[in-house]
Structure formats: structure tokens, C-alpha cells
Amino acid sequence: MKSLIILGARQHAKVVFALLQEACADEWKVRGFLDDDPRMQDSELLGVPVLGPVEKLQDLVARGEVQGALVGVSCGHMPARARLFEKIKKFALEAPRVISPSAYVHPTASVGSGSVLCTGAVVNAFATVGANCVLYSNSTVEHECVLEDNVYIGPGVNFCADVHVAAGTFIGTGANVICERVGADVIIGAGAAVVKSVPDGSVVAGVPARIIRQRSPEERAQSYALRHSLSI
């Protein structure tokens, strides 16, 4: 059995851990969590130790103690999710796909490394889900949709067919996406009905959805580390 580290030790990390236990327990054992928050040090989460800050990953790899890793940072910190996944790739660790037994992935669809599909998620025919994506419970990615890397989909989100979602985008609970393209680093509010394509860096909400504002490049690049002391 291979050992795995989860980067982050808060709410989403618990979801990733639980799904691993449900879907991959015969292949992967969680060695521990890494989180820079001093309050988390020398503690346990779900009976598994928090081993130290994120920088300790390098030592664990050098000692051959872990073969895989997953991002356990939530949707509020999208730049951090992407950068932590780059760390996993830098150390040539395996990032397994974690797919709930109750999720459905059509044989012609593809799901990238490190992606997590929660209870009841559906990825239909010829759809593509990139690396390090999260599809929360009862979300639906219809046929021939493309989700690029680092996309985070809330519970109950529905995509119509042939929607292209660029990297780093977050789509809130219960949104319906019926447009051709959603740009990079977009935030779509909960319950929105997106009927027109959305440009990069937009924040949209409403029924029908409209652009509330455009985020600056600096805001789009703002890291979780600046706000919450998680080194990336």
C-alpha cells in the first residue's frame, strides 16, 4: 500500500480524507496532513497526525516516506490550490483521482490526476475534467464539456453540453451554466444562471447572471499565504 500526504488540514482536507477512505483505501493510506497554521501543529485530524508545515513535504519525499499527495485546500483559496498542486508535480508525486463510488464517469469521459469527485457527481460522455479539479455532491458535467485544471465546482451545479471552463474558476452551489465559455479565474455566485460567455477574471451572479465586477490581475494572483499563513 502506498502512502499519501494531504496538503491542508481544515474542512476540505477532511472531505478528501473521507473520500480516500471510501474509494481508495485498498491502494492509499494517508500518512498525515501538512499545514502551516501553528495551531494545527502536533495535533490530529480524524485520527491522523498533522506532521508539520507544507515545507516538510520535501523531507518526506527525500526519505521515501510518501509516494502521493493531494490538495486539501478549499474553494476560497483558488491560487493556493493551483500552487500546491505544482508542488506535488515538482516532487514527482502521484496525485490519484479520488472518485466516490456513487459518482458516475462515462467510459468516454476523462478525469485528470488529483481531481476529486464527491457523492453523486456525474461526468457524461466525451467530457473532460482536468487535473486538481473538485466536483462536489450532485454536480453534473454534461457531454463534451471541458473543465481545465484547478476548477472547483460546488454542490448541485449543472453544466449543459459543450461548455468550456478555463483554469482556476470557482462555480458556486446550485449554479446552472448554459453558455459556450467561462473564462479563467472566474467566480460564479451560488444559484446563478449563466446564459452568456464570461470573460477572464469576472465575478458574476444573478438570474440571468451578470458581471458584478472585474478582478485585477493582482487580486486574481493573491495567494492563500497572504491571508492565512499557508506557505505555497
PDB file of all heavy atoms in Angstrom, residues 97 109-113 115-117 122-123 127-135 141 145-149 151:
ATOM      1  N   ARG A  97      -6.641  10.127  -8.734  1.00  0.00           N
ATOM      2  CA  ARG A  97      -8.031  10.570  -8.858  1.00  0.00           C
ATOM      3  C   ARG A  97      -8.818   9.947  -7.715  1.00  0.00           C
ATOM      4  O   ARG A  97      -8.662   8.764  -7.420  1.00  0.00           O
ATOM      5  CB  ARG A  97      -8.625  10.121 -10.188  1.00  0.00           C
ATOM      6  CG  ARG A  97      -7.879  10.569 -11.422  1.00  0.00           C
ATOM      7  CD  ARG A  97      -8.581  10.109 -12.676  1.00  0.00           C
ATOM      8  NE  ARG A  97      -8.909   8.687 -12.641  1.00  0.00           N
ATOM      9  CZ  ARG A  97      -9.819   8.092 -13.382  1.00  0.00           C
ATOM     10  NH1 ARG A  97     -10.523   8.794 -14.256  1.00  0.00           N
ATOM     11  NH2 ARG A  97     -10.055   6.803 -13.283  1.00  0.00           N
ATOM     12  N   ALA A 109     -15.443   9.596 -21.039  1.00  0.00           N
ATOM     13  CA  ALA A 109     -15.008  10.829 -20.381  1.00  0.00           C
ATOM     14  C   ALA A 109     -13.633  10.620 -19.747  1.00  0.00           C
ATOM     15  O   ALA A 109     -13.172   9.491 -19.567  1.00  0.00           O
ATOM     16  CB  ALA A 109     -16.019  11.251 -19.324  1.00  0.00           C
ATOM     17  N   SER A 110     -12.975  11.722 -19.399  1.00  0.00           N
ATOM     18  CA  SER A 110     -11.674  11.632 -18.737  1.00  0.00           C
ATOM     19  C   SER A 110     -11.636  12.559 -17.531  1.00  0.00           C
ATOM     20  O   SER A 110     -12.239  13.637 -17.536  1.00  0.00           O
ATOM     21  CB  SER A 110     -10.539  11.983 -19.703  1.00  0.00           C
ATOM     22  OG  SER A 110     -10.634  13.332 -20.131  1.00  0.00           O
ATOM     23  N   VAL A 111     -10.921  12.105 -16.495  1.00  0.00           N
ATOM     24  CA  VAL A 111     -10.749  12.874 -15.265  1.00  0.00           C
ATOM     25  C   VAL A 111      -9.262  12.911 -14.954  1.00  0.00           C
ATOM     26  O   VAL A 111      -8.599  11.878 -14.906  1.00  0.00           O
ATOM     27  CB  VAL A 111     -11.533  12.246 -14.099  1.00  0.00           C
ATOM     28  CG1 VAL A 111     -11.267  13.010 -12.807  1.00  0.00           C
ATOM     29  CG2 VAL A 111     -13.021  12.214 -14.403  1.00  0.00           C
ATOM     30  N   GLY A 112      -8.723  14.117 -14.736  1.00  0.00           N
ATOM     31  CA  GLY A 112      -7.291  14.276 -14.554  1.00  0.00           C
ATOM     32  C   GLY A 112      -6.799  13.919 -13.162  1.00  0.00           C
ATOM     33  O   GLY A 112      -7.576  13.729 -12.214  1.00  0.00           O
ATOM     34  N   SER A 113      -5.494  13.867 -13.018  1.00  0.00           N
ATOM     35  CA  SER A 113      -4.862  13.494 -11.760  1.00  0.00           C
ATOM     36  C   SER A 113      -5.190  14.494 -10.665  1.00  0.00           C
ATOM     37  O   SER A 113      -5.328  15.699 -10.897  1.00  0.00           O
ATOM     38  CB  SER A 113      -3.346  13.409 -11.939  1.00  0.00           C
ATOM     39  OG  SER A 113      -2.811  14.669 -12.314  1.00  0.00           O
ATOM     40  N   SER A 115      -7.871  15.023  -9.132  1.00  0.00           N
ATOM     41  CA  SER A 115      -9.237  15.534  -9.085  1.00  0.00           C
ATOM     42  C   SER A 115     -10.088  14.697  -8.131  1.00  0.00           C
ATOM     43  O   SER A 115      -9.873  13.496  -7.964  1.00  0.00           O
ATOM     44  CB  SER A 115      -9.861  15.546 -10.479  1.00  0.00           C
ATOM     45  OG  SER A 115      -9.305  16.591 -11.251  1.00  0.00           O
ATOM     46  N   VAL A 116     -11.065  15.362  -7.520  1.00  0.00           N
ATOM     47  CA  VAL A 116     -11.917  14.748  -6.509  1.00  0.00           C
ATOM     48  C   VAL A 116     -13.366  14.883  -6.950  1.00  0.00           C
ATOM     49  O   VAL A 116     -13.843  15.999  -7.204  1.00  0.00           O
ATOM     50  CB  VAL A 116     -11.715  15.421  -5.142  1.00  0.00           C
ATOM     51  CG1 VAL A 116     -12.694  14.873  -4.112  1.00  0.00           C
ATOM     52  CG2 VAL A 116     -10.278  15.244  -4.667  1.00  0.00           C
ATOM     53  N   LEU A 117     -14.076  13.754  -7.051  1.00  0.00           N
ATOM     54  CA  LEU A 117     -15.491  13.731  -7.414  1.00  0.00           C
ATOM     55  C   LEU A 117     -16.279  13.209  -6.224  1.00  0.00           C
ATOM     56  O   LEU A 117     -16.077  12.064  -5.797  1.00  0.00           O
ATOM     57  CB  LEU A 117     -15.738  12.849  -8.640  1.00  0.00           C
ATOM     58  CG  LEU A 117     -15.544  13.488 -10.020  1.00  0.00           C
ATOM     59  CD1 LEU A 117     -14.125  13.968 -10.229  1.00  0.00           C
ATOM     60  CD2 LEU A 117     -15.938  12.503 -11.109  1.00  0.00           C
ATOM     61  N   VAL A 122     -21.596  13.643 -11.630  1.00  0.00           N
ATOM     62  CA  VAL A 122     -21.757  12.983 -12.925  1.00  0.00           C
ATOM     63  C   VAL A 122     -20.861  13.667 -13.953  1.00  0.00           C
ATOM     64  O   VAL A 122     -20.877  14.902 -14.080  1.00  0.00           O
ATOM     65  CB  VAL A 122     -23.225  13.041 -13.401  1.00  0.00           C
ATOM     66  CG1 VAL A 122     -23.353  12.508 -14.819  1.00  0.00           C
ATOM     67  CG2 VAL A 122     -24.129  12.261 -12.448  1.00  0.00           C
ATOM     68  N   VAL A 123     -20.102  12.874 -14.676  1.00  0.00           N
ATOM     69  CA  VAL A 123     -19.311  13.360 -15.813  1.00  0.00           C
ATOM     70  C   VAL A 123     -19.736  12.535 -17.019  1.00  0.00           C
ATOM     71  O   VAL A 123     -19.423  11.350 -17.113  1.00  0.00           O
ATOM     72  CB  VAL A 123     -17.797  13.228 -15.560  1.00  0.00           C
ATOM     73  CG1 VAL A 123     -17.006  13.768 -16.750  1.00  0.00           C
ATOM     74  CG2 VAL A 123     -17.400  13.962 -14.276  1.00  0.00           C
ATOM     75  N   ALA A 127     -16.882  14.126 -22.034  1.00  0.00           N
ATOM     76  CA  ALA A 127     -16.498  15.295 -21.245  1.00  0.00           C
ATOM     77  C   ALA A 127     -15.066  15.120 -20.740  1.00  0.00           C
ATOM     78  O   ALA A 127     -14.565  14.001 -20.602  1.00  0.00           O
ATOM     79  CB  ALA A 127     -17.452  15.489 -20.073  1.00  0.00           C
ATOM     80  N   THR A 128     -14.416  16.251 -20.449  1.00  0.00           N
ATOM     81  CA  THR A 128     -13.046  16.246 -19.947  1.00  0.00           C
ATOM     82  C   THR A 128     -12.982  17.070 -18.671  1.00  0.00           C
ATOM     83  O   THR A 128     -13.385  18.242 -18.662  1.00  0.00           O
ATOM     84  CB  THR A 128     -12.075  16.848 -20.980  1.00  0.00           C
ATOM     85  OG1 THR A 128     -12.111  16.074 -22.176  1.00  0.00           O
ATOM     86  CG2 THR A 128     -10.653  16.876 -20.436  1.00  0.00           C
ATOM     87  N   VAL A 129     -12.487  16.461 -17.614  1.00  0.00           N
ATOM     88  CA  VAL A 129     -12.234  17.155 -16.354  1.00  0.00           C
ATOM     89  C   VAL A 129     -10.720  17.147 -16.152  1.00  0.00           C
ATOM     90  O   VAL A 129     -10.086  16.098 -16.159  1.00  0.00           O
ATOM     91  CB  VAL A 129     -12.943  16.463 -15.177  1.00  0.00           C
ATOM     92  CG1 VAL A 129     -12.570  17.122 -13.853  1.00  0.00           C
ATOM     93  CG2 VAL A 129     -14.452  16.483 -15.378  1.00  0.00           C
ATOM     94  N   GLY A 130     -10.137  18.327 -15.983  1.00  0.00           N
ATOM     95  CA  GLY A 130      -8.689  18.440 -15.879  1.00  0.00           C
ATOM     96  C   GLY A 130      -8.148  17.974 -14.541  1.00  0.00           C
ATOM     97  O   GLY A 130      -8.835  17.341 -13.728  1.00  0.00           O
ATOM     98  N   ALA A 131      -6.884  18.324 -14.285  1.00  0.00           N
ATOM     99  CA  ALA A 131      -6.206  17.935 -13.053  1.00  0.00           C
ATOM    100  C   ALA A 131      -6.573  18.866 -11.903  1.00  0.00           C
ATOM    101  O   ALA A 131      -6.864  20.048 -12.098  1.00  0.00           O
ATOM    102  CB  ALA A 131      -4.691  17.962 -13.270  1.00  0.00           C
ATOM    103  N   ASN A 132      -6.563  18.305 -10.691  1.00  0.00           N
ATOM    104  CA  ASN A 132      -6.769  19.079  -9.459  1.00  0.00           C
ATOM    105  C   ASN A 132      -8.103  19.824  -9.458  1.00  0.00           C
ATOM    106  O   ASN A 132      -8.212  20.922  -8.924  1.00  0.00           O
ATOM    107  CB  ASN A 132      -5.606  20.063  -9.250  1.00  0.00           C
ATOM    108  CG  ASN A 132      -5.562  20.622  -7.833  1.00  0.00           C
ATOM    109  OD1 ASN A 132      -5.834  19.920  -6.866  1.00  0.00           O
ATOM    110  ND2 ASN A 132      -5.225  21.900  -7.719  1.00  0.00           N
ATOM    111  N   CYS A 133      -9.114  19.228 -10.053  1.00  0.00           N
ATOM    112  CA  CYS A 133     -10.466  19.787 -10.006  1.00  0.00           C
ATOM    113  C   CYS A 133     -11.240  19.168  -8.849  1.00  0.00           C
ATOM    114  O   CYS A 133     -10.897  18.093  -8.352  1.00  0.00           O
ATOM    115  CB  CYS A 133     -11.212  19.513 -11.310  1.00  0.00           C
ATOM    116  SG  CYS A 133     -10.542  20.380 -12.753  1.00  0.00           S
ATOM    117  N   VAL A 134     -12.293  19.849  -8.424  1.00  0.00           N
ATOM    118  CA  VAL A 134     -13.207  19.318  -7.415  1.00  0.00           C
ATOM    119  C   VAL A 134     -14.624  19.448  -7.947  1.00  0.00           C
ATOM    120  O   VAL A 134     -15.041  20.541  -8.353  1.00  0.00           O
ATOM    121  CB  VAL A 134     -13.089  20.064  -6.076  1.00  0.00           C
ATOM    122  CG1 VAL A 134     -14.120  19.538  -5.079  1.00  0.00           C
ATOM    123  CG2 VAL A 134     -11.689  19.936  -5.501  1.00  0.00           C
ATOM    124  N   LEU A 135     -15.353  18.343  -7.959  1.00  0.00           N
ATOM    125  CA  LEU A 135     -16.777  18.344  -8.281  1.00  0.00           C
ATOM    126  C   LEU A 135     -17.512  17.889  -7.032  1.00  0.00           C
ATOM    127  O   LEU A 135     -17.427  16.715  -6.640  1.00  0.00           O
ATOM    128  CB  LEU A 135     -17.096  17.403  -9.447  1.00  0.00           C
ATOM    129  CG  LEU A 135     -16.908  17.930 -10.869  1.00  0.00           C
ATOM    130  CD1 LEU A 135     -15.446  18.257 -11.153  1.00  0.00           C
ATOM    131  CD2 LEU A 135     -17.419  16.912 -11.873  1.00  0.00           C
ATOM    132  N   VAL A 141     -21.627  17.409 -15.092  1.00  0.00           N
ATOM    133  CA  VAL A 141     -20.857  17.914 -16.229  1.00  0.00           C
ATOM    134  C   VAL A 141     -21.350  17.158 -17.454  1.00  0.00           C
ATOM    135  O   VAL A 141     -21.062  15.971 -17.621  1.00  0.00           O
ATOM    136  CB  VAL A 141     -19.344  17.706 -16.017  1.00  0.00           C
ATOM    137  CG1 VAL A 141     -18.558  18.184 -17.225  1.00  0.00           C
ATOM    138  CG2 VAL A 141     -18.885  18.432 -14.754  1.00  0.00           C
ATOM    139  N   CYS A 145     -18.380  18.663 -22.432  1.00  0.00           N
ATOM    140  CA  CYS A 145     -17.856  19.810 -21.678  1.00  0.00           C
ATOM    141  C   CYS A 145     -16.348  19.620 -21.449  1.00  0.00           C
ATOM    142  O   CYS A 145     -15.844  18.496 -21.412  1.00  0.00           O
ATOM    143  CB  CYS A 145     -18.547  19.932 -20.330  1.00  0.00           C
ATOM    144  SG  CYS A 145     -20.241  20.548 -20.406  1.00  0.00           S
ATOM    145  N   VAL A 146     -15.650  20.729 -21.266  1.00  0.00           N
ATOM    146  CA  VAL A 146     -14.229  20.709 -20.921  1.00  0.00           C
ATOM    147  C   VAL A 146     -14.018  21.584 -19.693  1.00  0.00           C
ATOM    148  O   VAL A 146     -14.328  22.783 -19.719  1.00  0.00           O
ATOM    149  CB  VAL A 146     -13.353  21.214 -22.079  1.00  0.00           C
ATOM    150  CG1 VAL A 146     -11.887  21.300 -21.646  1.00  0.00           C
ATOM    151  CG2 VAL A 146     -13.495  20.321 -23.304  1.00  0.00           C
ATOM    152  N   LEU A 147     -13.518  20.990 -18.628  1.00  0.00           N
ATOM    153  CA  LEU A 147     -13.080  21.732 -17.457  1.00  0.00           C
ATOM    154  C   LEU A 147     -11.568  21.670 -17.421  1.00  0.00           C
ATOM    155  O   LEU A 147     -10.976  20.583 -17.339  1.00  0.00           O
ATOM    156  CB  LEU A 147     -13.645  21.118 -16.169  1.00  0.00           C
ATOM    157  CG  LEU A 147     -15.044  21.529 -15.714  1.00  0.00           C
ATOM    158  CD1 LEU A 147     -16.092  21.253 -16.787  1.00  0.00           C
ATOM    159  CD2 LEU A 147     -15.406  20.832 -14.410  1.00  0.00           C
ATOM    160  N   GLU A 148     -10.919  22.821 -17.542  1.00  0.00           N
ATOM    161  CA  GLU A 148      -9.469  22.849 -17.458  1.00  0.00           C
ATOM    162  C   GLU A 148      -9.021  22.589 -16.021  1.00  0.00           C
ATOM    163  O   GLU A 148      -9.833  22.337 -15.134  1.00  0.00           O
ATOM    164  CB  GLU A 148      -8.939  24.181 -17.990  1.00  0.00           C
ATOM    165  CG  GLU A 148      -9.210  24.406 -19.475  1.00  0.00           C
ATOM    166  CD  GLU A 148      -8.594  25.678 -20.009  1.00  0.00           C
ATOM    167  OE1 GLU A 148      -7.811  26.325 -19.283  1.00  0.00           O
ATOM    168  OE2 GLU A 148      -8.907  26.050 -21.170  1.00  0.00           O
ATOM    169  N   ASP A 149      -7.704  22.658 -15.771  1.00  0.00           N
ATOM    170  CA  ASP A 149      -7.154  22.330 -14.460  1.00  0.00           C
ATOM    171  C   ASP A 149      -7.612  23.318 -13.384  1.00  0.00           C
ATOM    172  O   ASP A 149      -7.904  24.488 -13.660  1.00  0.00           O
ATOM    173  CB  ASP A 149      -5.630  22.340 -14.512  1.00  0.00           C
ATOM    174  CG  ASP A 149      -5.059  21.285 -15.446  1.00  0.00           C
ATOM    175  OD1 ASP A 149      -5.809  20.387 -15.867  1.00  0.00           O
ATOM    176  OD2 ASP A 149      -3.848  21.374 -15.745  1.00  0.00           O
ATOM    177  N   VAL A 151     -10.238  23.683 -11.466  1.00  0.00           N
ATOM    178  CA  VAL A 151     -11.609  24.197 -11.438  1.00  0.00           C
ATOM    179  C   VAL A 151     -12.327  23.580 -10.244  1.00  0.00           C
ATOM    180  O   VAL A 151     -12.200  22.382  -9.967  1.00  0.00           O
ATOM    181  CB  VAL A 151     -12.337  23.875 -12.751  1.00  0.00           C
ATOM    182  CG1 VAL A 151     -13.819  24.215 -12.649  1.00  0.00           C
ATOM    183  CG2 VAL A 151     -11.704  24.644 -13.906  1.00  0.00           C
TER     184      VAL A 151
END
